[in-house]
Amino acid sequence: MTSKRDRDPASCHDDASPQPHDSDVALAAALADGAGQKLLSLRNRIGFSDSRRLRDEGDQLAHQYLLEELVAFRPGDAVLSEEGRGQTSRYGTERLTADRVWIIDPLDGTREYSEEGRDDWAVHVALWERARGITAAAVALPAQGATLRSDQAPVPIEQRKHSVIRIAVSRTRPPVEAKSAAATLGAELVPMGSAGAKLAAVVTGKVDAYVHAGGQFEWDSAAPVGVALAGGWHASRLDGSKLVYNQPDPYLPDLVACRPDLATSLLEAIRESL
């Protein structure tokens, strides 16, 4: 995990800016962080009085930045973005025949981004490669001053246990499956925004698990799941099956992520509610 608090948000090309020779994961981290710094600057510049304007401008600013940088540094790769349009968009066909596809969410947790004082929003950048799945991933948490990378485990998993199991859930739509599992396991639900922020809370030990049901797309989970799996955490669909990316329909509605030692009991508790 890298901290960015000491960096000048207004700088476009500093030490963390992408370089042509960067590895894919280094590029993912630089782009996620760069988009995050732009989103912080926008927040400071226009404030929170018009939340819709802040959300809309934030989405477009981060999206445009990420697309321009990916075209510059990886011109042969396809892109699947929440904000995308055309052949490289969510239902485009170009990406389905590509060997390398960047799956990005320029601003995950848009609602939280537009609320003053909240830090549970994120920028997701992941690389999917044919026959290999997610091979590089980064999740920037700009308001928390951190960027998680798939090549840097934040902390040893065994150091991250709580006396009562803590399960991150949506702050607006906590799923029935999570409530049922919490009741079975005697766990505590921890509401927060942004899939990226919730998965980051798992891998940094703030919570033990994250359970989601009821609708997500590939860009909501690709990068944070890439970071979690690379660090040794469990991540799967609610039925225990593998999360598969770059599909013709990018709808990927549910997931569970947790410490590996908790996976069997949590999946069983979820299964009882399905």
Side-chain angles (χ1 to χ4, degrees):
M1 182 169 58
T2 55
S3 175
K4 308 298 181 186
R5 288 211 184 275
D6 297 331
R7 203 150 61 74
D8 176 9
S11 174
C12 293
H13 296 287
D14 54 20
D15 292 342
S17 295
Q19 300 297 320
H21 58 271
D22 278 346
S23 67
D24 288 325
V25 68
L27 178 62
L31 296 187
D33 185 60
Q37 296 304 314
K38 290 184 177 298
L39 288 166
L40 284 176
S41 294
L42 181 67
R43 245 185 167 193
N44 292 333
R45 179 165 57 83
I46 69 175
F48 299 90
S49 59
D50 187 340
S51 59
R52 168 170 285 186
R53 178 191 173 197
L54 182 57
R55 291 195 299 268
D56 291 347
E57 290 194 19
D59 271 331
Q60 287 306 309
L61 177 69
H63 173 71
Q64 192 64 31
Y65 167 78
L66 291 174
L67 284 191
E68 289 176 354
E69 296 297 289
L70 285 171
V71 167
F73 291 103
R74 297 294 188 272
D77 295 351
V79 178
L80 171 62
S81 170
E82 178 177 17
E83 304 301 324
R85 297 291 186 272
Q87 288 297 302
T88 58
S89 73
R90 60 185 66 177
Y91 298 110
T93 56
E94 180 180 297
R95 65 180 176 81
L96 298 178
T97 58
D99 289 330
R100 290 165 52 93
V101 180
W102 293 88
I103 302 176
I104 62 175
D105 190 343
L107 176 52
D108 181 65
T110 309
R111 177 198 297 264
E112 287 72 26
Y113 172 70
S114 68
E115 295 180 13
E116 188 171 10
R118 296 204 70 93
D119 63 7
D120 47 348
W121 52 276
V123 179
H124 301 173
V125 180
L127 174 65
W128 172 94
E129 293 188 82
R130 186 169 302 283
R132 299 180 64 196
I134 302 299
T135 56
V139 177
L141 303 162
Q144 299 180 30
T147 298
L148 304 177
R149 303 167 46 140
S150 56
D151 63 345
Q152 297 177 0
V155 291
I157 294 173
E158 59 271 19
Q159 295 181 11
R160 297 296 183 174
K161 292 185 178 181
H162 302 92
S163 56
V164 175
I165 296 171
R166 292 164 56 83
I167 302 175
V169 294
S170 167
R171 59 188 286 238
T172 56
R173 301 182 300 277
V176 171
E177 293 84 350
K179 294 178 180 178
S180 177
T184 300
L185 300 173
E188 172 189 4
L189 296 182
V190 183
M192 63 178 74
S194 165
K198 289 192 275 287
L199 264 158
V202 174
V203 301
T204 57
K206 295 177 182 176
V207 299
D208 300 285
Y210 167 37
V211 176
H212 179 85
Q216 278 186 348
F217 291 86
E218 291 185 14
W219 46 79
D220 291 308
S221 66
V225 163
V227 170
L229 290 175
W233 276 261
H234 170 88
S236 71
R237 301 285 304 272
L238 290 186
D239 63 2
S241 62
K242 185 178 180 180
L243 292 152
V244 180
Y245 294 94
N246 197 32
Q247 297 299 293
D249 183 349
Y251 187 59
L252 191 55
D254 58 75
L255 73 86
V256 54
C258 64
R259 301 192 325 261
D261 61 295
L262 183 60
T264 299
S265 58
L266 180 55
L267 285 169
E268 180 59 33
I270 292 171
R271 193 172 297 116
E272 292 175 0
S273 68
L274 295 177

